[in-house]
């Protein structure tokens, strides 16, 4: 319906949401500052600012005023029709409101306390390779997390894990993930085994030539500007752990990291965060929509599909480097002048089973994720006792990646997620890779000369496709609906396998 005819309760609701969005952008702003420029001495005051603001935001998001306005709008048949943007927006506001109000205060407090205790214990247990000392705290966090899932609730025939995924990947169930993951897992394991046993790994030594950090930064800015990141409405800064934060209209911050002798790491991080940044810049935050679900990202999996596409599908391909290698040589005083394009591209597509997820390559990464999905699902459903986690981890690791885990520090103690009670979060990483690969096939069918365009440094047609099919919709459609609309098919593991076979196999002389 035209804006002029929207009833007062709806415009009041939107105004309230906009204020919450603005408060959220202030929280994002001070948190970005904390990671980038805040002096160490500011930590105490910043913690106070953050916690006060979080309290105000939570109070607003659970207020009866918001609940009443929502109910009034939902009772309005013209407004609540889900096929309209307003109706879809209401559906998503209801989801957020329910998630924010369904948990009893006692549980929220108990979980916060258990999480902060478990994180401290986890740090020590990891440093000392002492899993048994972590068992009690991890059990406590997972028990409370299970309770949280029970409070959220899940569909009949489902499991408590579904309720937890819902926070990160709405409308997706453990069974749906399993159906896609299981065939992928077996094909990936076989693919990796074949490459590592029968192939010859490409040369990579030249990638570790020393490149000054300032030069890497200038190169990162140059390539991301060419990809389409708008520096009038964004920045690139440096942090230990790269991230991207879309503050609000006209302001998107991304960060990356640099090591003089690991230039590919910075390129990967920068292009990854740029993919997140392009999504944030493409969400319709202008006009009246900021603060509403229509101006927000649909899910972690879809967000990650954007970062992975630019990092991997674009950033490890020959067309991209046909354009970018001369640019790199210009920035780096011809550091790679003696390396031909094919040799360079092969070096960007290695496949080496290793123990640490965050250091793993494009092919093996997904097996690290699937292992965690299977284990956390078993722990939360009560099928795996926490004390038995190391044994189960090591056994799966051997099956999936063919390696013997030497100790728990390089095994089940490596990630912080479980100590936070983040269960259902890991699968979104691989869902992102799967969505990216499936979209990539459709994009290449729709833009048949995409490779030729990218080889000339032209990324406009690709970005337009993403703007039109993904970015502009915000949360109007679910991730699964978006995938179906954009690619004509439900999510499937085959495109990712085809991508890896096309891309990684040629890097190995077989
Ligand atoms: Zn990411």
């Amino acid at each position: 319906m035209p804006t002029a005819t929207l009833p007062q309760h709806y415009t009041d609701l939107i105004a309230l949401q906009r204020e919450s969005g603005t408060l959220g952008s202030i929280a994002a702003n001070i948190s970005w500052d904390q990671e980038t420029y805040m002096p160490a001495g500011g930590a105490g005051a910043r913690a106070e600012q953050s916690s006060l603001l979080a309290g105000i935001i939570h109070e607003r998001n659970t207020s009866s005023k918001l609940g009443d306005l929502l109910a009034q709008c939902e009772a309005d048949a013209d407004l609540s029709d889900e096929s309209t943007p307003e109706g879809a927006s209401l559906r998503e506001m209801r989801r957020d409101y329910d998630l924010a109000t369904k948990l009893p205060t006692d549980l929220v407090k108990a979980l916060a306390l258990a999480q902060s205790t478990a994180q401290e214990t986890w740090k020590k247990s990891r440093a000392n390779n002492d899993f048994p000392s972590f068992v009690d705290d991890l059990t406590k966090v997972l028990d409370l997390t299970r309770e949280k899932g029970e409070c959220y609730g899940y569909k009949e025939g489902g499991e408590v894990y579904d309720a937890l995924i819902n926070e990160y990947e709405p409308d997706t169930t453990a069974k749906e993930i399993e159906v896609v993951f299981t065939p992928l897992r077996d094909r990936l394991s076989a693919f990796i085994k074949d490459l590592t046993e029968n192939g010859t790994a490409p040369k990579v030594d030249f990638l570790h030539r020393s490149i000054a950090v300032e030069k890497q930064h200038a190169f990162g800015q140059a390539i991301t500007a060419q990809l389409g990141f708008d520096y009038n409405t964004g920045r690139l800064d440096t942090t230990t752990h790269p991230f991207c934060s879309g503050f609000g209209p006209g302001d998107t911050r991304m960060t990356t990291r640099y090591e003089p002798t690991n230039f590919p790491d910075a390129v990967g991080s920068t292009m990854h965060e740029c993919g997140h940044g392009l999504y944030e810049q493409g969400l319709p935050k202008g006009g009246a929509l900021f603060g509403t679900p229509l101006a927000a990202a649909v899910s972690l999996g879809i967000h990650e599909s954007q970062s992975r596409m630019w990092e991997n599908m674009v950033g490890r391909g020959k067309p991209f480097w046909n354009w970018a290698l001369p640019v790199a040589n210009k920035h780096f005083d011809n550091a790679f002048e003696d390396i031909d394009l094919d040799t360079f591209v092969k070096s960007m597509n290695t496949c080496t089973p290793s123990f640490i997820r965050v250091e793993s390559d494009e092919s093996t990464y997904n097996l690290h994720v699937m292992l965690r999905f299977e284990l956390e699902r078993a722990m939360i459903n009560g099928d795996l006792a926490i004390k038995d986690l190391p044994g189960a981890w090591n056994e799966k690791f051997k099956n999936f990646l063919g390696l013997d885990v030497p100790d728990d520090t390089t095994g089940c103690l490596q990630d912080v997620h479980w100590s936070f009670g983040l269960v259902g979060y890991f699968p979104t990483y691989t869902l992102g890779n799967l969505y990216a690969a499936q979209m990539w096939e459709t994009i290449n069918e729709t833009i048949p000369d995409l490779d030729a365009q990218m080889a000339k440094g032209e990324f406009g047609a690709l970005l337009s496709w993403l703007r039109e099919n993904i970015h502009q919709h915000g949360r109007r459609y679910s991730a699964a609906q978006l995938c179906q609309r954009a690619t004509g098919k439900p999510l499937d593991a085959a495109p990712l396998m085809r991508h890896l076979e096309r891309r990684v196999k040629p890097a190995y002389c077989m």
Side-chain angles (χ1 to χ4, degrees):
M1 68 175 64
T3 318
T5 63
L6 288 170
Q8 192 63 40
H9 45 259
Y10 188 75
T11 45
D12 286 351
L13 177 64
I14 298 304
L16 197 65
Q17 291 289 78
R18 189 180 183 84
E19 282 178 8
S20 298
T22 302
L23 283 167
S25 73
I26 299 170
N29 209 319
I30 62 173
S31 146
W32 170 87
D33 175 70
Q34 184 169 358
E35 300 295 321
T36 49
Y37 296 110
M38 189 191 80
R46 181 56 44 87
E48 228 176 296
Q49 293 168 349
S50 298
S51 122
L52 178 63
L53 200 49
I56 294 170
I57 291 171
H58 180 73
E59 222 167 85
R60 292 176 59 97
N61 289 347
T62 54
S63 72
S64 53
K65 185 179 173 192
L66 175 58
D68 292 345
L69 283 171
L70 247 181
Q72 266 180 288
C73 292
E74 285 167 337
D76 194 328
D78 282 342
L79 280 174
S80 56
D81 174 2
E82 271 190 39
S83 65
T84 66
E86 291 82 15
S89 193
L90 282 177
R91 176 198 68 218
E92 293 303 302
M93 286 183 212
R94 166 59 62 191
R95 179 198 303 281
D96 295 344
Y97 188 71
D98 283 352
L99 280 178
T101 52
K102 270 189 176 174
L103 302 185
T105 315
D106 285 352
L107 176 60
V108 175
K109 281 188 185 156
L111 198 52
L113 182 66
Q115 284 163 345
S116 75
T117 313
Q119 273 167 63
E120 288 312 306
T121 312
W122 167 74
K123 279 183 208 159
K124 279 187 216 128
S125 306
R126 186 172 78 150
N128 302 328
N129 184 35
D130 180 12
F131 183 80
S133 66
F134 185 44
V135 170
D136 285 351
D137 285 350
L138 180 59
T139 305
K140 183 119 204 220
V141 168
L142 292 180
D143 283 348
L144 291 166
T145 301
R146 187 181 305 111
E147 209 178 315
K148 184 173 86 166
E150 295 293 352
C151 289
Y152 284 153
Y154 47 90
K155 288 202 182 103
E156 222 184 289
E159 55 194 75
V160 66
Y161 191 85
D162 297 346
L164 299 168
I165 309 170
N166 193 41
E167 274 191 81
Y168 318 111
E169 200 65 21
D171 296 321
T172 302
T173 66
K175 279 209 185 76
E176 284 165 357
I177 294 176
E178 185 189 334
V179 165
V180 183
F181 277 17
T182 306
L184 176 66
R185 182 192 69 197
D186 299 339
R187 288 182 64 185
L188 259 182
S189 277
F191 172 77
I192 292 162
K193 191 163 182 270
D194 182 36
L195 278 188
T196 46
E197 284 179 4
N198 305 319
T200 309
K203 240 169 79 96
V204 294
D205 55 339
F206 56 84
L207 291 176
H208 300 285
R209 290 175 182 172
S210 187
I211 312 277
V213 163
E214 310 77 62
K215 289 180 181 169
Q216 292 193 42
H217 184 68
F219 175 69
Q221 281 186 310
I223 55 170
T224 47
Q226 189 82 8
L227 300 181
F229 187 81
D230 179 4
Y231 277 94
N232 289 317
T233 62
R235 282 185 61 90
L236 174 66
D237 292 272
T238 313
T239 50
T240 318
H241 302 289
F243 66 94
C244 174
S245 184
F247 289 1
D251 198 348
T252 299
R253 309 294 176 97
M254 38 181 202
T255 72
T256 191
R257 62 176 172 217
Y258 304 104
E259 254 182 74
T261 56
N262 198 351
F263 137 85
D265 180 66
V267 174
S269 296
T270 307
M271 289 186 74
H272 181 101
E273 299 310 331
C274 180
H276 286 306
L278 290 169
Y279 185 21
E280 288 292 330
Q281 289 187 333
L283 288 165
K285 296 178 190 176
L289 293 183
F290 176 63
T292 74
L294 297 180
V298 58
S299 72
L300 290 187
I302 293 293
H303 225 310
E304 197 67 4
S305 75
Q306 301 305 291
S307 57
R308 291 291 178 171
M309 186 180 294
W310 292 98
E311 175 192 359
N312 293 330
M313 278 74 193
V314 176
R316 297 181 192 281
K318 188 170 171 179
F320 172 78
W321 285 106
N322 183 71
W323 166 75
L325 191 54
V327 180
N329 275 322
K330 213 169 89 194
H331 278 86
F332 304 155
D333 308 316
N334 294 322
F336 302 111
E337 204 179 24
D338 57 325
I339 309 296
D340 67 80
L341 180 61
D342 281 318
T343 306
F344 190 88
V345 172
K346 282 180 183 177
S347 74
M348 297 296 285
N349 290 284
T350 51
C351 169
T352 316
S354 61
F355 296 106
I356 307 294
R357 174 183 61 86
V358 295
E359 294 167 4
S360 64
D361 56 66
E362 192 186 354
S363 310
T364 56
Y365 187 86
N366 298 297
L367 290 172
H368 289 264
V369 171
M370 287 185 247
L371 168 131
R372 287 158 175 78
F373 165 66
E374 292 182 17
L375 292 173
E376 66 181 14
R377 188 183 181 194
M379 286 193 290
I380 215 75
N381 286 344
D383 298 331
L384 172 66
I386 312 304
K387 67 170 176 41
D388 297 332
L389 176 63
W393 177 287
N394 298 350
E395 194 189 323
K396 274 195 198 291
F397 209 91
K398 178 83 178 172
N399 287 339
F400 289 12
L401 285 148
L403 297 178
D404 292 303
V405 178
D407 53 57
D408 295 336
T409 299
T410 24
C412 65
L413 282 172
Q414 65 181 271
D415 297 301
V416 70
H417 298 57
W418 288 333
S419 71
F420 269 111
L422 287 178
V423 173
Y425 192 106
F426 280 122
T428 67
Y429 296 132
T430 286
L431 287 173
N433 289 330
L434 291 164
Y435 281 128
Q438 189 158 327
M439 287 177 209
W440 191 241
E441 286 196 344
T442 304
I443 291 168
N444 279 278
E445 283 159 20
T446 316
I447 314 170
D449 65 335
L450 180 61
D451 278 358
Q453 293 184 20
M454 291 193 294
K456 288 185 283 182
E458 292 167 10
F459 304 96
L462 168 57
L463 184 56
S464 297
W465 189 96
L466 294 170
R467 291 270 189 261
E468 192 185 323
N469 289 282
I470 310 296
H471 303 175
Q472 65 156 331
H473 298 300
R475 290 167 63 186
R476 178 158 184 195
Y477 307 106
S478 72
Q481 288 170 333
L482 212 50
C483 176
Q484 180 75 43
R485 286 175 61 95
T487 69
K489 294 174 217 118
L491 186 64
D492 176 17
L496 180 63
M497 278 317 302
R498 284 196 284 267
H499 161 73
L500 293 172
E501 264 153 30
R502 266 194 313 264
R503 180 65 68 72
V504 183
K505 219 164 188 174
Y508 282 69
C509 306
M510 298 184 70

